[in-house]
Amino acid sequence: MLRNYLTITLRNLWKHKLFSAINIFGLASGMMVCLLAIIHIKGAFDYDNFHPNRHRVYRVLTDVATNEHGVVAHASSPMPLAGALQQDYAFVEQTARVVRVYGEFAEGHKRFNLLSWAVDPGFFTIFSGFQLAQGQAAAEPRTVVLTRETAEKFFGTANPIGRVLQHDELGPLTVTGVLADNPTHSHLKFDLLLSLKTPGNPAYRHLFEDWRQYAVGYTYVMLKPGTMEKALSDALSAINKQTIQGLQFTREKGYSFRTQALTNVSPGLEELAMSTYERQIGGLLVEIGVGLLTLLLAAFNYINLTLARSLSRAREVGIRKVSGALRWQLMGQFMAESVVLSLLALGLAYVMLQFVKPMPFVQQWLIGGVQWDETLWIVFILFSIVTGVLAGIVPARVLSGFQPAQVLRSQTGLRVLRGISLRKSLIVAQFAISMIALIFLLTMGRQQHYMATADYGFRRESVLNIPLNGIPYQRLTHELSQLSGVERVSATSDLFGSFGDSQVFRRQRATSDSMMAFTFAVDHQFVPNMNLSLLAGQNMPVPAADTAGRFVLINEEAVNAFHLGSAREAVGQSLWLNDSTELQIAGVLKDFRFTSFAWSIKPLVLRYQPAQFRYLNVGVAKGAGEAVLADAKAVLKKLTPYEPFTGQWYDDFLYQRHNHREDLDFLSLLTGLALSIACLGLLGMVTYTTETRTKEVGIRKVMGADITQIVALLSWDFVKLLLIASAIALPLGALAGMAFLINFAYHVSIGIETLGVCFLVMLLLGGLTIGWRTYRAASANPVKSLRAE
């Protein structure tokens, strides 16, 4: 029987080649998106599976009870906890604390801001999957281990063991080892691991002894073999009762501890404050939702086209029922056809996946680092079979349920609410979903283009940004200032358009009126070079004395935030930094956008700090860009002969930072697939309709109707469907676009330039699909049409 089902299925697929091709391509497109989501989800469950002791490792979470009668779960925990567990409980084999370290690491003239953690020696026992390719672990004070990529950044192909890195706060750090590449992802991402025994800033050492500080770092515990998790939970409850008594909390009522197995860290089933880099279940559900939505469109096509051919298949059903076939046998036949079609689509989906895999977005966010094994293939095949069953069950039930007497008289109309056919409803749904996706994509693209090209309020044209990379800024400034075509050279700690640094300032030294402000280190040439406007006061003084660093420039928003009165009244007043440094306001700048468009303008403080300078901004005269770029390369080649030139025009920096082509390319792919599925489904419906009306077309032509009238007659029903889909999609698409734009303080609007373009694109694609097929039918020879049955 199965062989008979397969034979009939292949004959039907070959007989109706166009419908088969449309269904296979549509299902393959939806499956390809689902396969990407399945691979990513598998990768999320594979996190940290390369650690041999992972089933005995737990992270301690802290549930903090707030004064507002709520509970906030933290992935972090107090730092004394690890010592208490290790010392007082024999079933604990090893503990380790993990603390984030900030700041730049330098070696010679190379400086990098790395993702780094300070860890206890027990870290390398608990997470033994982080294997060393060479050297030994960072167990002693002032030692570090590097990843392979970090070692190459600093030392190239030279042996890094024994070399020294410099950190502004921690001092010299000796490299003792290089880590091998991880086979899969980990919830702990890093470029560098250093020993937690390394002496740090004394001002922060009390944080490692204070039980009230639960947001400093993370605590990991490895239990001895055979120990149950409940033993650790009981120990945490006992420690909590002992330590929380007598503690004075200011912003919370207290806290409690609980365990989280390492095998349950990813995907994260709850939102944790101070979370690490594990995948969250919410994001995975969104991804699989997008994939299933795309697949649903393809399933609509299959249902649509199968029901569209219900007349011919219904007669087949009637004849087979008269011959003695049972309903379950007919359903088996139709389900077999659907499953075979789905398996063929799986093959095409895998081929399409090979073309999509190299895309940067796909590699970085979806499938990079995921191990392919037989489990993945089994999931793919099972998913394909389930897809075929679900897509075929509706047509199978409908077609197998026809009564022989009814279908042999061709009374097979399918109707849903108010006479709208099911097939037409599906077409409306397809185009509505595709149009919503198109509106969302266009909105995202316009917002990114706006952020990349907008007027920030500072000079962005004809400015060449050159990283110092350890070169004394005065020397490089002098060399570049001599070049023909250079107007000014200024220095800065970071580039506007990025996030910069932030610090806490106070109006008075002993008061609690603190305010966070963004800070940039700049020199006296920066304001005129970047065309910033002074509203009051004067520019930063020329650094002729050590007191130059006491004078700062602030923006209008800082004047308002610190309640300094007017811009003129603010000049000459003082701000306190870290309760120890008094800064005097030299001038007030007109507000401009210096950071992300997601935020409104924030308080800004510009200060002269030569040690913080990282870039030079070279202002170039109009028309001299190419010459200055060539000369600047020559200067850098002379000063750093073994380093590549990394200068970049400010325009290019802002464009690349805010115009994420990889994201748009991937979203364009998804939208293109949805549109193509919808258009192919429409093409199949129009083809079937024109074929069933072949005789009518021939009679109308014989009676004198011209091609235009016939095209209009055949097309109008489908054009109405496009108009209905647009009426549904336009408001929903606008809502989806606004849901994205609400994340930005400064954003584009959604008007005729977005909705009108999407409407015209949808109408054009649908119109071409309809017009091409109806024109072929209308221009056919009426003699052949009248002969057609």
Side-chain angles (χ1 to χ4, degrees), residues 249-265:
F249 294 98
T250 57
R251 292 175 296 179
E252 52 276 312
K253 293 181 178 179
Y255 59 71
S256 60
F257 300 126
R258 60 187 166 99
T259 61
Q260 182 185 39
L262 182 61
T263 52
N264 295 333
V265 168

mmCIF file of all heavy atoms in Angstrom, residues 249-265:
data_model
loop_
_atom_site.group_PDB
_atom_site.id
_atom_site.type_symbol
_atom_site.label_atom_id
_atom_site.label_comp_id
_atom_site.label_asym_id
_atom_site.label_seq_id
_atom_site.Cartn_x
_atom_site.Cartn_y
_atom_site.Cartn_z
ATOM 1 N N PHE A 249 20.383 47.115 55.608
ATOM 2 C CA PHE A 249 20.196 47.386 54.188
ATOM 3 C C PHE A 249 19.553 48.756 54.010
ATOM 4 O O PHE A 249 18.759 49.206 54.851
ATOM 5 C CB PHE A 249 19.319 46.310 53.548
ATOM 6 C CG PHE A 249 19.944 44.946 53.525
ATOM 7 C CD1 PHE A 249 19.622 43.994 54.488
ATOM 8 C CD2 PHE A 249 20.866 44.610 52.550
ATOM 9 C CE1 PHE A 249 20.201 42.732 54.469
ATOM 10 C CE2 PHE A 249 21.452 43.356 52.515
ATOM 11 C CZ PHE A 249 21.122 42.423 53.476
ATOM 12 N N THR A 250 19.896 49.414 52.932
ATOM 13 C CA THR A 250 19.350 50.746 52.656
ATOM 14 C C THR A 250 18.257 50.718 51.597
ATOM 15 O O THR A 250 17.222 51.357 51.743
ATOM 16 C CB THR A 250 20.477 51.694 52.194
ATOM 17 O OG1 THR A 250 21.119 51.120 51.048
ATOM 18 C CG2 THR A 250 21.490 51.895 53.309
ATOM 19 N N ARG A 251 18.480 49.968 50.520
ATOM 20 C CA ARG A 251 17.526 49.982 49.409
ATOM 21 C C ARG A 251 16.771 48.669 49.245
ATOM 22 O O ARG A 251 16.028 48.495 48.299
ATOM 23 C CB ARG A 251 18.262 50.307 48.103
ATOM 24 C CG ARG A 251 18.791 51.716 48.027
ATOM 25 C CD ARG A 251 19.613 51.929 46.785
ATOM 26 N NE ARG A 251 20.808 51.109 46.789
ATOM 27 C CZ ARG A 251 21.715 51.081 45.809
ATOM 28 N NH1 ARG A 251 21.522 51.825 44.736
ATOM 29 N NH2 ARG A 251 22.777 50.315 45.895
ATOM 30 N N GLU A 252 16.982 47.721 50.141
ATOM 31 C CA GLU A 252 16.297 46.453 50.051
ATOM 32 C C GLU A 252 16.022 45.905 51.454
ATOM 33 O O GLU A 252 16.618 46.346 52.434
ATOM 34 C CB GLU A 252 17.111 45.441 49.247
ATOM 35 C CG GLU A 252 18.549 45.259 49.695
ATOM 36 C CD GLU A 252 19.498 46.294 49.108
ATOM 37 O OE1 GLU A 252 19.455 46.531 47.902
ATOM 38 O OE2 GLU A 252 20.279 46.859 49.901
ATOM 39 N N LYS A 253 15.116 44.953 51.520
ATOM 40 C CA LYS A 253 14.777 44.363 52.807
ATOM 41 C C LYS A 253 15.741 43.245 53.186
ATOM 42 O O LYS A 253 15.986 42.987 54.361
ATOM 43 C CB LYS A 253 13.349 43.807 52.756
ATOM 44 C CG LYS A 253 12.270 44.879 52.613
ATOM 45 C CD LYS A 253 10.892 44.241 52.598
ATOM 46 C CE LYS A 253 9.807 45.300 52.500
ATOM 47 N NZ LYS A 253 8.447 44.702 52.472
ATOM 48 N N GLY A 254 16.243 42.549 52.209
ATOM 49 C CA GLY A 254 17.133 41.426 52.449
ATOM 50 C C GLY A 254 17.259 40.584 51.202
ATOM 51 O O GLY A 254 16.841 40.988 50.116
ATOM 52 N N TYR A 255 17.827 39.382 51.344
ATOM 53 C CA TYR A 255 17.974 38.509 50.187
ATOM 54 C C TYR A 255 18.035 37.061 50.643
ATOM 55 O O TYR A 255 18.175 36.764 51.839
ATOM 56 C CB TYR A 255 19.210 38.872 49.361
ATOM 57 C CG TYR A 255 20.527 38.805 50.122
ATOM 58 C CD1 TYR A 255 21.087 37.585 50.507
ATOM 59 C CD2 TYR A 255 21.227 39.958 50.430
ATOM 60 C CE1 TYR A 255 22.287 37.521 51.181
ATOM 61 C CE2 TYR A 255 22.432 39.906 51.104
ATOM 62 C CZ TYR A 255 22.961 38.693 51.477
ATOM 63 O OH TYR A 255 24.159 38.632 52.154
ATOM 64 N N SER A 256 17.910 36.175 49.682
ATOM 65 C CA SER A 256 18.077 34.741 49.930
ATOM 66 C C SER A 256 18.830 34.137 48.759
ATOM 67 O O SER A 256 18.884 34.721 47.672
ATOM 68 C CB SER A 256 16.717 34.057 50.108
ATOM 69 O OG SER A 256 15.925 34.229 48.939
ATOM 70 N N PHE A 257 19.421 32.969 48.995
ATOM 71 C CA PHE A 257 20.214 32.306 47.960
ATOM 72 C C PHE A 257 19.459 31.107 47.392
ATOM 73 O O PHE A 257 18.634 30.491 48.079
ATOM 74 C CB PHE A 257 21.550 31.806 48.530
ATOM 75 C CG PHE A 257 22.422 32.891 49.097
ATOM 76 C CD1 PHE A 257 22.901 32.797 50.395
ATOM 77 C CD2 PHE A 257 22.762 33.993 48.333
ATOM 78 C CE1 PHE A 257 23.711 33.787 50.928
ATOM 79 C CE2 PHE A 257 23.576 34.987 48.849
ATOM 80 C CZ PHE A 257 24.036 34.884 50.152
ATOM 81 N N ARG A 258 19.772 30.756 46.166
ATOM 82 C CA ARG A 258 19.309 29.498 45.578
ATOM 83 C C ARG A 258 20.322 29.068 44.517
ATOM 84 O O ARG A 258 21.160 29.855 44.063
ATOM 85 C CB ARG A 258 17.916 29.614 44.985
ATOM 86 C CG ARG A 258 17.748 30.635 43.878
ATOM 87 C CD ARG A 258 16.281 30.757 43.498
ATOM 88 N NE ARG A 258 16.011 31.915 42.691
ATOM 89 C CZ ARG A 258 15.874 31.919 41.373
ATOM 90 N NH1 ARG A 258 16.000 30.772 40.701
ATOM 91 N NH2 ARG A 258 15.609 33.021 40.714
ATOM 92 N N THR A 259 20.225 27.812 44.114
ATOM 93 C CA THR A 259 21.203 27.247 43.184
ATOM 94 C C THR A 259 20.668 27.256 41.758
ATOM 95 O O THR A 259 19.458 27.222 41.529
ATOM 96 C CB THR A 259 21.535 25.795 43.572
ATOM 97 O OG1 THR A 259 20.333 25.010 43.509
ATOM 98 C CG2 THR A 259 22.101 25.720 44.981
ATOM 99 N N GLN A 260 21.587 27.293 40.840
ATOM 100 C CA GLN A 260 21.264 27.140 39.418
ATOM 101 C C GLN A 260 22.317 26.210 38.815
ATOM 102 O O GLN A 260 23.501 26.549 38.778
ATOM 103 C CB GLN A 260 21.279 28.495 38.695
ATOM 104 C CG GLN A 260 20.900 28.386 37.215
ATOM 105 C CD GLN A 260 21.033 29.714 36.486
ATOM 106 O OE1 GLN A 260 21.964 30.472 36.728
ATOM 107 N NE2 GLN A 260 20.097 29.984 35.584
ATOM 108 N N ALA A 261 21.875 25.036 38.373
ATOM 109 C CA ALA A 261 22.816 24.079 37.784
ATOM 110 C C ALA A 261 23.432 24.661 36.515
ATOM 111 O O ALA A 261 22.772 25.375 35.751
ATOM 112 C CB ALA A 261 22.104 22.767 37.476
ATOM 113 N N LEU A 262 24.695 24.368 36.289
ATOM 114 C CA LEU A 262 25.371 24.862 35.089
ATOM 115 C C LEU A 262 24.666 24.367 33.832
ATOM 116 O O LEU A 262 24.606 25.079 32.825
ATOM 117 C CB LEU A 262 26.833 24.404 35.094
ATOM 118 C CG LEU A 262 27.695 24.872 33.919
ATOM 119 C CD1 LEU A 262 27.775 26.384 33.864
ATOM 120 C CD2 LEU A 262 29.095 24.259 34.010
ATOM 121 N N THR A 263 24.098 23.180 33.899
ATOM 122 C CA THR A 263 23.391 22.637 32.736
ATOM 123 C C THR A 263 22.085 23.379 32.458
ATOM 124 O O THR A 263 21.494 23.194 31.393
ATOM 125 C CB THR A 263 23.092 21.145 32.959
ATOM 126 O OG1 THR A 263 22.430 20.982 34.228
ATOM 127 C CG2 THR A 263 24.375 20.334 32.963
ATOM 128 N N ASN A 264 21.615 24.196 33.424
ATOM 129 C CA ASN A 264 20.363 24.945 33.242
ATOM 130 C C ASN A 264 20.591 26.441 33.008
ATOM 131 O O ASN A 264 19.625 27.194 32.934
ATOM 132 C CB ASN A 264 19.456 24.773 34.469
ATOM 133 C CG ASN A 264 18.988 23.342 34.653
ATOM 134 O OD1 ASN A 264 18.893 22.584 33.691
ATOM 135 N ND2 ASN A 264 18.700 22.962 35.887
ATOM 136 N N VAL A 265 21.842 26.841 32.905
ATOM 137 C CA VAL A 265 22.123 28.274 32.723
ATOM 138 C C VAL A 265 21.623 28.749 31.365
ATOM 139 O O VAL A 265 21.039 29.825 31.225
ATOM 140 C CB VAL A 265 23.625 28.548 32.895
ATOM 141 C CG1 VAL A 265 23.983 29.961 32.424
ATOM 142 C CG2 VAL A 265 24.039 28.360 34.341
#
